[in-house]
Amino acid sequence: MIDESIFPGPGAVGIAPQTASAVVDLGAFSRNLTRLREHVGSTPVMVVVKADGYGHGMINCSRAARQAGADWLGAATPTEALQLRESGDQGRLLCWLYGPDEDLEPVVAADIDIAAHSAEQISMITAAAGAVERTARVHLKIDTGLSRNGAAADRWPELCAIAAEAEQAGAVRIAGIWSHFAAADEPGHPSIARQQEAFSAALTSAEEFGLSPEVRHLANSAAGLTLPDTHYDLVRLGIACYGIEPAPGLAAGVGVDLEPVMTLRAQLAAVKPIAAGEGVSYGHTWTADTDTVVGLVPLGYGDGIPVAASNRAEVQVGGRRAPIRGRVCMDQFVVDLGPGATEAMGDEVIIFSGRDRGPTAEDWADVCGTIGYEIVTRIGVRVPREYR
Ligand SMILES: Cc1ncc(COP(=O)(O)O)c(C=O)c1O
């Protein structure tokens, strides 16, 4: 059933749900989270719902996450975090990515924890805290080797000193210290041990400045599954909750069964025979070598279907796999139903799902040279989400 209050309906989204939709199985999402929580034991978990819940719908996933025991929610941007508050979420919530000109007052006022990695960011947060007359909850981020955001090791003591001063002044509470892995999804990668050491050193140094965070956190899904030493006080779980392996076999290897959450499906919008020698789609990058029957799927790169899937990925029709033929277009692509196929317009196509229902998002990622994260997250705003 579509939640009309969250998702306004086909008029606004551009494709009628009977024609194509992303069916989101919130039961599977909850079961994944329950299994992941069992796996990490007593350590609290943050469920990461940024980027519209990795394309699955941020609000509905956040509600399912809370019901299944998420202690924290994680958003990338302050705007996402504010949307979560507006939806009624009142639990612990962290956001971590913002620019120098953003207004953080509403974020502090809404009791949203916010990350900081520089003196400038502490100043922004302190100013916002003063304006709304609240103590801001801050998570200091150390760059342990990802070279994205986070304070470099040589700037860390200075950041701790500034943060400790702001804490003593009552402007901020250093609620967390954290970092993020570069390659936790590659067991044995040399960066893992180096990042753990750097994180441990940063914690010791912060302690010397009198900082005593409530939560120290480093682990993502991959580390949550395979690196118990990195769990500290909180594990940040994203992709695994959505039923996608951070890397092939990682969850399965530790006995955690993940169920795919999103099924992307459509109805065939046209079916027709083509003769041997006929070219298909823009540029005729595929030509039929025998007489066959092709079907038209009404989704394209405007909806997040990668052009890289052209002539590579497969869909499921009538219980069998049908390969994409020719180039994926903005709104549609063509599949080869095979000689003598009896499908008709309106028959169902599973673009990806899982298990015995068709290819998985990981299968698509594999043939497109990308990651499962991207396959689900890029499903566009025209595609209605239906919640089961
Ligand atoms: C800072 C941070 N923590 C945690 C996560 C969750 O990672 P994953 O989806 O691999 O579990 C992400 C996602 O990219 C992230 O950016």
Side-chain angles (χ1 to χ4, degrees):
M1 190 185 66
I2 298 175
D3 182 341
E4 293 287 340
S5 66
I6 305 301
F7 218 84
V13 293
I15 299 177
Q18 55 273 40
T19 300
S21 62
V23 180
V24 176
D25 183 346
L26 291 174
F29 179 84
S30 302
R31 288 188 292 278
N32 291 336
L33 178 53
T34 300
R35 289 181 199 124
L36 290 160
R37 287 183 64 222
E38 278 164 14
H39 181 73
V40 303
S42 56
T43 310
V45 299
M46 170 188 291
V47 174
V48 180
V49 293
K50 62 183 179 157
D52 201 25
Y54 291 41
H56 295 68
M58 179 175 73
I59 303 300
N60 283 322
C61 289
S62 69
R63 288 178 180 156
R66 288 295 193 198
Q67 275 165 19
D71 306 275
W72 288 71
L73 294 178
T77 70
T79 305
E80 289 173 331
L82 286 165
Q83 280 170 2
L84 287 163
R85 281 288 185 255
E86 277 158 29
S87 77
D89 190 86
Q90 295 179 337
R92 282 274 160 253
L93 166 59
L94 172 67
C95 65
W96 53 74
L97 188 62
Y98 50 94
D101 296 327
E102 285 192 42
D103 177 11
L104 298 180
E105 288 175 26
V107 184
V108 179
D111 195 27
I112 294 166
D113 289 37
I114 186 157
H117 63 249
S118 65
E120 291 77 12
Q121 291 191 330
I122 295 286
S123 295
M124 284 174 75
I125 296 169
T126 305
V132 300
E133 299 181 356
R134 277 189 83 113
T135 300
R137 291 175 52 87
V138 173
H139 294 227
L140 291 185
K141 188 164 195 188
I142 170 84
D143 182 0
T144 53
L146 181 60
S147 303
R148 235 166 48 173
N149 60 10
D154 61 347
R155 308 300 298 272
W156 182 248
E158 180 199 349
L159 180 63
C160 289
I162 292 165
E165 200 179 309
E167 188 167 65
Q168 275 148 27
V172 303
R173 160 87 184 106
I174 302 304
I177 292 183
W178 71 306
S179 192
H180 193 43
F181 274 120
D185 56 342
E186 293 179 47
H189 193 282
S191 64
I192 295 172
R194 284 202 298 269
Q195 287 197 260
Q196 276 183 263
E197 276 168 38
F199 190 60
S200 169
L203 290 173
T204 306
S205 158
E207 216 174 292
E208 285 161 11
F209 283 93
L211 299 175
S212 56
E214 294 156 23
V215 283
R216 302 157 300 160
H217 48 114
L218 176 61
N220 55 2
S221 291
L225 286 162
T226 61
L227 299 169
D229 289 355
T230 67
H231 291 180
Y232 290 94
D233 309 309
L234 185 61
V235 174
R236 303 189 305 270
L237 299 171
I239 198 72
C241 300
Y242 303 96
I244 294 175
E245 285 271 16
L250 227 56
V254 294
V256 175
D257 184 32
L258 296 178
E259 297 177 52
V261 175
M262 184 190 289
T263 294
L264 185 64
R265 50 133 316 259
Q267 289 180 314
L268 286 172
V271 176
K272 66 177 162 206
I274 61 166
E278 286 196 63
V280 168
S281 192
Y282 292 128
H284 282 180
T285 60
W286 185 81
T287 302
D289 53 10
T290 54
D291 293 356
T292 190
V293 176
V294 292
L296 186 66
V297 180
L299 291 167
Y301 63 79
D303 307 300
I305 304 294
V307 173
S310 305
N311 291 314
R312 291 212 178 98
E314 293 179 332
V315 299
Q316 182 103 341
V317 184
R320 66 184 190 283
R321 297 292 167 94
I324 296 185
R325 299 302 197 200
R327 195 178 293 163
V328 171
C329 310
M330 187 181 291
D331 318 299
Q332 50 198 297
F333 63 89
V334 176
V335 295
D336 187 358
L337 300 171
T342 55
E343 275 77 23
M345 188 168 88
D347 284 355
E348 186 166 71
V349 186
I350 304 289
I351 293 95
F352 58 79
S353 177
R355 309 223 160 130
D356 48 354
R357 290 204 65 222
T360 60
E362 288 102 315
D363 292 334
W364 271 70
D366 199 29
V367 296
C368 294
T370 182
I371 48 179
Y373 296 70
E374 186 184 0
I375 296 296
V376 287
T377 304
R378 65 187 290 161
I379 297 306
V381 293
R382 288 201 301 193
V383 181
R385 270 59 169 178
E386 295 186 81
Y387 293 94
R388 297 278 154 79

